[in-house]
Structure formats: C-alpha cells, structure tokens
Amino acid sequence: MIKSKDLSKIFETKDTRLVAVDNINLDIGPGKIVGLLGPNGAGKTTSIRLLSTVYRPTSGGAIVAGFDIIKDPLSVRSSIGISTETPTIYPRLTAMRNLQYFADLYDVDRNSRDEMIEELLMKFDLYDVKDKPVSSYSKGMTQKVSIIKAVLHDPSVLMLDEPWSGLSPEATRDLREFIVQLANKDRSILISTHNLVQAEMIVDQLIIINRGRVIIDSTPDKLRKQYSVNPIIKMRLDNFNDDIVSNLDFVRDVKTVNNHHTFFIDSFEQTPDLVKHLVSEKARIHTIEEVIPSLEDIYLQLLDKEELR
Amino acid sequence: MRWNKVAIIMKKEIREALQAKYVLFSVIGMPILMGIVIPIAQLAPIVNIPADDLQDESFDIPGLQFTSNWASLDDTAKFIIFMIEMSNIMFLLIPMILPTVIAADTFSGEKDRKTAEALVAAPVTDTEIYLGKVMSSMVPTVLSTWLVGIFYVFLVNFLTYDALGFAYLPNTTFIGMVVFLGPLMALATVNFMVWVSTRTTSTRDAQQLGSIIVLPLMAIMVSTIGLSAWLGSYTLWLVIIGMVFLNILLIKIGINILDREKWVR
C-alpha cells in the first residue's frame, strides 16, 4: 500500500542545503500498522508530506494506495487520510462544518455524509459539541476532529502525525483500538510519534529515521533480539552515587532522576549481586523492580549510541 | 478543472471569513459608508442650491463630456451631475479596497492559523484552490457593491429628480463601472493579494502591504475616469477590455505563484 524507492527531499536556498529525507525505502503492506520514530528534525513529517504529495520529492518516488505520488498526486490524495501534527482544522467553524467541508472535498456521498459524520463524532465523544466553533475546543478535542477528518472518506492508507497528542488516557485507548480496527479492515497505517508506549501496543513494524535516513526497519520483537537490549532494574535508593557501581562489570549504565535509579545490567541473574553490593555500600533500598525493556527503553538506548545522534 | 470543488472551497472560505468580525464589518460597513453615506452627504446639500448662486462656478469645462452632453441644463443641474459622477468613483474604490481585507484572511490567514496543509493534502488541484479562494474574495465584494449600488441609484434619483427633472442613474457609464469594471478591479486586487500573501507571514502584514499594492490599480481607476470624462465613455469599455486581459495574465501568474510547498513550510 506504501512503497517508496530512494525517496529524497532536499531543501535548498541561496545559502543553505538541507537533506531532509535521504533515499528512504519503505514497504508497508495492507493491514499493517507502522510506527515512524526518530528525534525531532529527523525527517518524519517531511516523509509524511512527501508520501501525501504535499511536498514533491527531489529524487526517487513512491507508490501510495496504488498510485504514483509524482504522476498521479490527485489520486493519491483521494485515497489517503492524513492527520497532521498541528491539527489543521478551521477554528472559526464548528466541528460539523469542518467535517462536512472535508467530506465534500473527498467526494463523500452527500446522502450519507451527515449521518456518517455524526456517527464518528459520537464514537469520539464530540457529538454534544459538534455545533460549537472548534476554537472553543481543547487541544485533545481538536485532535479528535483532525482524526475524524482523516478517516471520514474511508481511505485505504492512513497517515497520522502524533495522533495521541493532547488526548486523555481513555481517548488514547479508544484511538488505539480504533486504529487496530482500521488495520483489521486492511488499511495501511503509518504513525509518526514520540509516544512509544502507545506505539508499542499496536505497531507491526518500526521504522526509525534520523537525519533523513532509515536507521532501523524492523518489528518490535526482532528489534529486541537484534539489539539485545540490556535488562533493566529500577530502584528507589538513598545514599547512592554512580561511583558505587563503577567497579561492577555487569552494570552497563545507570540513569538517575532524583533518587530513582535505572540500572542496565547483562541479565536478571545478576540482580542479587547488585543488591548485595548496594547494601554493602550502605545504599538504602526502598523499592526494586525488574523490568523487561520496552520499546522506549530500546529507543533511548539506541539514541544514546552514536548512530542516532 | 472541477467547478464543484471550486464552489466547495469558495463557500467554506466565505463562511469562515465572515465569522471574523472585522471582515463582516468590512463587507457590510465599508460599502454602506463609501457607497451611500459619503455620496449622499455630498449630494444632499447641493440639490437645492439656486443656479444664481453658482454663477462663479463653471462646469462647462471644455471637452468635459458629461456636462457638455447636458448643455441645455442650468448650472445647478450640471453641478449635480458633476457631483454624481464624482460620487460614482466610490463604486470603483469599494471593489479595490474590500478584497484586500478578505483575501488577506483567506490566503495569509491559512498561514497564520496553520490550516493550509489539510487543504493542500486534499484531492484538489492548485487551480481549484486558487480559484476557490479568489472567488471567495470576489463574491462578497461584488455582491455587496452591487447591492449598495442599487440603493445608491434609488437614493441619488430620489434626491436629484426634482432638480434635474429626470432620473440620472443608471446610465451606461455607471453600469459599465459597477457591473464590469468594478468586479475586474476586485479580481485584479485579489490576484495582487495572492502575490502579497506569498511574501508575508501574517494577515496583518498582508493587509498592510495590500493597501500599497492597490495603488497601481488606483492609477488605472483615475486614468479611466479622466479619459472617459474627456474622451467619452467608450474609453471606459477599452479599459474594461484591457482589464480582462490583465486579469487573465494575473490569474495565470497567480496559479504559478501559489506554491503548495511554501504555503505549508
């Protein structure tokens, strides 16, 4: 559903040259949920803008929803739904007016248009405020309107840029479930996000980009195995400093926030040795927890490595 | 080109622009002020001036067409006609000024509100976006100018009928100005505003620069009035034809200027 070949975008002015996207090759099939990760300025939004035909590639190309982004951008636009990082909803208009406008632009059948919009508004808990101007909405409510806008023409490819931004925990869960439902209907979904906790729960594939280049393209499981990320021990400690464990070979790294310490060790079998050592050094242990590394932990560890800097 | 898409964009743009109080006030208030209040304030005091009081004034300016055409009338009538013709100018000024307010909101406003990406990612062409937005500035301008123009004609005739003995408006020149030249002036202004919006980052900047941009159009307007006053109303129609070609050129340039990427970036 999304297939790119050496997709590149270079922004050039008289004095500057910025390679925003550098020869990206993507292959996202139907029914797949793909997370696009990377630090700020990595090229995530530019990639989405290229695939959604907002930007024209400097070189390379892509087929999105069966259409060429260069030769047939209008068909690409008709077949995709996009929710941008900053919700592009007209603040002076009501949610209903906004959605009717986009439904008309996307040729949604006029006879069923309002009924369908109202159904989605109900699903996203916005029905009661549908006739109020969007300017009176919270950030999360505006975000929901933006997501409804992206799906109301039932696109075969959905691109969501930071979809969980500003959403409450229950709305976050509802959106997660909604995305999975769409994937079950064979929709291809590309999610650019920093919310790795949410992404981990639903993505089938992970693409990490930096400086415009794909660094990692894998599944979460493969990623864990591939990068053999260290197990983690989280502790709340007093009377501790990093020097205490500096002579322990199996402690790979320690991260500290106030008295909360995260130890990256070789294996959980070494936990008792670590505890014994800390006690012997008179550190006071309040709590201790063994944690299987999450996607976020993997990402942060990778970020610490040179390749993501 | 799909005109239904142009209409969808236009309707939404008008609906949104009119939600802003300053735009609404401009669309309603400016034509009333310029097309009714000011002209009537100019005409009302002079309709009853006796001809003898105008002895020192001469409106038989050599070559001035619209007074020499009425050579048989007394000086009061000529003065009234002269003042009506001067007031008619307002119906070229309104279509030049009003679109700067609306166009600044629809083009630069998208940048301000960061809403452009949704539109450029939608299945519409550059031409459809451009024309939809141009029409959204044109339609309220032309409709409000025409509506006020109708009131103006009735009011002017009501005020001057007794003094002139006939209904002076609408005449061919007035119809040419209001029905043809006014909308063409509005269209040219909107096209200039597109260019302005590509070089400004906010609605306020666009409005400020837009007020300067209309100056060349003002020069065309003044020249048109001068030429038609001395050379005859056929010059007005020549200017109208010229404006048609100018607008075709400006629209072509405007569509090329409307760079989707720059609009979003």
Side-chain angles (χ1 to χ4, degrees):
Chain A
M1 283 289 197
I2 299 179
K3 209 163 193 162
S4 76
K5 176 91 176 123
D6 300 332
L7 191 63
S8 298
K9 181 67 183 175
I10 300 167
F11 294 109
E12 273 183 295
T13 62
K14 251 193 296 183
D15 312 313
T16 58
R17 186 175 190 271
L18 173 71
V19 182
V21 171
D22 190 1
N23 289 298
I24 279 185
N25 294 298
L26 302 175
D27 189 356
I28 302 168
K32 294 286 178 205
I33 304 172
V34 176
L36 189 61
L37 313 178
N40 290 328
K44 303 187 295 291
T45 299
T46 305
S47 300
I48 285 184
R49 284 178 175 170
L50 284 169
L51 294 169
S52 60
T53 77
V54 170
Y55 286 168
R56 191 169 294 193
T58 308
S59 61
I63 302 293
V64 177
F67 302 103
D68 191 306
I69 60 166
I70 299 164
K71 290 179 188 158
D72 197 359
L74 213 56
S75 299
V76 172
R77 286 180 215 141
S78 298
S79 313
I80 64 167
I82 182 164
S83 172
T84 51
E85 188 178 1
T86 308
T88 45
I89 298 296
Y90 299 99
R92 291 184 204 146
L93 301 181
T94 65
M96 195 69 193
R97 286 277 190 218
N98 264 289
L99 295 170
Q100 284 171 334
Y101 169 60
F102 286 106
D104 291 343
L105 284 182
Y106 283 88
D107 290 321
V108 172
D109 180 13
R110 276 250 174 172
N111 297 319
S112 57
R113 180 193 72 178
D114 289 358
E115 199 182 326
M116 196 186 61
I117 291 171
E118 284 176 357
E119 243 173 63
L120 284 163
L121 285 166
M122 252 184 263
K123 191 177 184 67
F124 281 86
D125 207 18
L126 290 172
Y127 185 80
D128 293 341
V129 291
K130 71 184 168 75
D131 295 321
K132 289 188 175 168
V134 172
S135 56
S136 66
Y137 286 17
S138 68
K139 192 184 173 200
M141 290 159 83
T142 313
Q143 182 70 8
K144 288 183 194 175
V145 180
S146 177
I147 289 160
I148 295 173
K149 181 208 80 184
V151 299
L152 52 78
H153 56 295
D154 196 19
S156 56
V157 173
L158 190 60
M159 299 182 197
L160 306 172
D161 201 350
E162 293 297 349
W164 291 288
S165 174
L167 295 188
S168 66
E170 64 270 29
T172 300
R173 181 203 56 205
D174 292 346
L175 175 60
R176 208 171 54 226
E177 289 171 3
F178 183 66
I179 291 169
V180 172
Q181 282 170 16
L182 291 173
N184 289 339
K185 289 188 208 167
D186 273 352
R187 306 291 179 260
S188 305
I189 299 158
L190 181 63
I191 305 171
S192 166
T193 186
H194 287 116
N195 192 333
L196 301 173
V197 176
Q198 295 305 319
E200 182 168 27
M201 290 191 224
I202 57 171
V203 298
D204 303 301
Q205 187 183 343
L206 265 174
I207 295 167
I208 301 177
I209 63 173
N210 192 30
R211 291 182 191 146
R213 281 187 298 169
V214 173
I215 305 298
I216 289 157
D217 184 350
S218 184
T219 64
D221 285 343
K222 276 187 192 164
L223 200 61
R224 283 193 192 93
K225 285 174 194 160
Q226 190 181 349
Y227 284 85
S228 59
V229 173
N230 306 102
I232 291 168
I233 308 288
K234 287 188 175 175
M235 291 192 202
R236 190 157 68 86
L237 290 172
D238 284 333
N239 304 331
F240 175 80
N241 62 66
D242 289 4
D243 293 340
I244 291 175
V245 291
S246 59
N247 59 339
L248 296 178
D249 291 343
F250 61 85
V251 176
R252 299 291 172 198
D253 196 8
V254 183
K255 294 217 180 297
T256 300
V257 179
N258 296 327
N259 63 343
H260 291 260
H261 307 274
T262 305
F263 297 87
F264 296 87
I265 57 174
D266 287 340
S267 88
F268 285 133
E269 287 170 9
Q270 291 151 340
T271 309
D273 293 338
L274 175 63
V275 172
K276 265 186 217 164
H277 181 77
L278 291 171
V279 171
S280 70
E281 292 290 334
K282 300 203 171 17
R284 193 169 165 211
I285 303 172
H286 295 281
T287 60
I288 180 165
E289 185 186 2
E290 286 183 334
V291 181
I292 296 167
S294 65
L295 207 54
E296 189 170 54
D297 298 318
I298 295 169
Y299 177 75
L300 291 173
Q301 283 191 53
L302 288 171
L303 200 66
D304 283 344
K305 292 183 180 174
E306 193 59 37
E307 59 188 316
L308 272 184
R309 277 194 182 156
Chain B
M1 166 116 92
R2 299 158 302 172
W3 284 101
N4 67 323
K5 300 285 180 190
V6 175
I8 291 164
I9 294 168
M10 181 193 74
K11 273 193 264 181
K12 178 252 146 194
E13 294 293 338
I14 292 173
R15 189 173 276 140
E16 196 194 12
L18 294 182
Q19 292 293 318
K21 282 182 184 148
Y22 76 96
V23 176
L24 188 64
F25 174 78
S26 301
V27 172
I28 297 171
M30 192 191 292
I32 291 174
L33 180 71
M34 293 175 70
I36 294 179
V37 177
I38 294 174
I40 299 310
Q42 285 179 325
L43 288 170
I46 62 166
V47 288
N48 294 319
I49 298 174
D52 295 344
D53 290 1
L54 291 167
Q55 275 175 352
D56 295 336
E57 305 290 338
S58 174
F59 298 97
D60 285 327
I61 302 168
L64 192 60
Q65 297 277 321
F66 54 74
T67 47
S68 56
N69 287 347
W70 304 99
S72 60
L73 296 178
D74 65 20
D75 279 349
T76 302
K78 286 177 186 167
F79 184 41
I80 289 168
I81 289 171
F82 181 83
M83 290 307 290
I84 292 172
E85 292 291 345
M86 289 300 106
S87 298
N88 290 351
I89 295 169
M90 292 294 179
F91 288 89
L92 289 183
L93 277 176
I94 298 166
M96 273 194 283
I97 297 168
L98 196 50
T100 63
V101 180
I102 308 171
D105 191 77
T106 57
F107 284 98
S108 296
E110 291 264 17
K111 278 188 190 171
D112 275 357
R113 297 186 285 273
K114 299 189 192 313
T115 50
E117 190 165 353
L119 183 57
V120 297
V124 281
T125 63
D126 290 359
T127 309
E128 287 158 0
I129 293 175
Y130 184 84
L131 290 181
K133 283 181 171 286
V134 165
M135 299 277 279
S136 70
S137 301
M138 284 280 295
V139 170
T141 299
V142 171
L143 288 183
S144 63
T145 308
W146 284 356
L147 192 64
V148 168
I150 292 167
F151 277 105
Y152 170 79
V153 167
F154 278 109
L155 281 169
V156 166
N157 288 334
F158 174 76
L159 276 174
T160 62
Y161 190 85
D162 285 345
L164 296 176
F166 59 93
Y168 185 74
L169 290 179
N171 55 29
T172 320
T173 312
F174 183 76
I175 290 170
M177 276 172 63
V178 176
V179 178
F180 297 102
L181 190 55
L184 287 167
M185 287 289 193
L187 186 54
T189 304
V190 176
N191 282 309
F192 277 125
M193 285 304 292
V194 177
W195 180 82
V196 167
S197 74
T198 61
R199 274 148 184 80
T200 52
T201 51
S202 72
T203 309
R204 183 175 289 192
D205 290 350
Q207 282 170 347
Q208 285 172 346
L209 192 55
S211 57
I212 298 166
I213 278 301
V214 296
L215 288 178
L217 291 174
M218 293 244 186
I220 293 175
M221 181 197 78
V222 172
S223 312
T224 308
I225 291 160
L227 288 169
S228 61
W230 267 273
L231 300 176
S233 62
Y234 75 92
T235 51
L236 176 76
W237 298 99
L238 287 178
V239 173
I240 287 170
I241 293 165
M243 285 298 290
V244 170
F245 287 109
L246 176 68
N247 274 303
I248 291 169
L249 182 70
L250 288 175
I251 287 171
K252 283 191 172 174
I253 294 170
I255 291 167
N256 289 327
I257 282 176
L258 194 73
D259 185 333
R260 282 172 179 256
E261 288 197 11
K262 282 185 185 161
W263 214 18
V264 170
R265 219 183 298 157

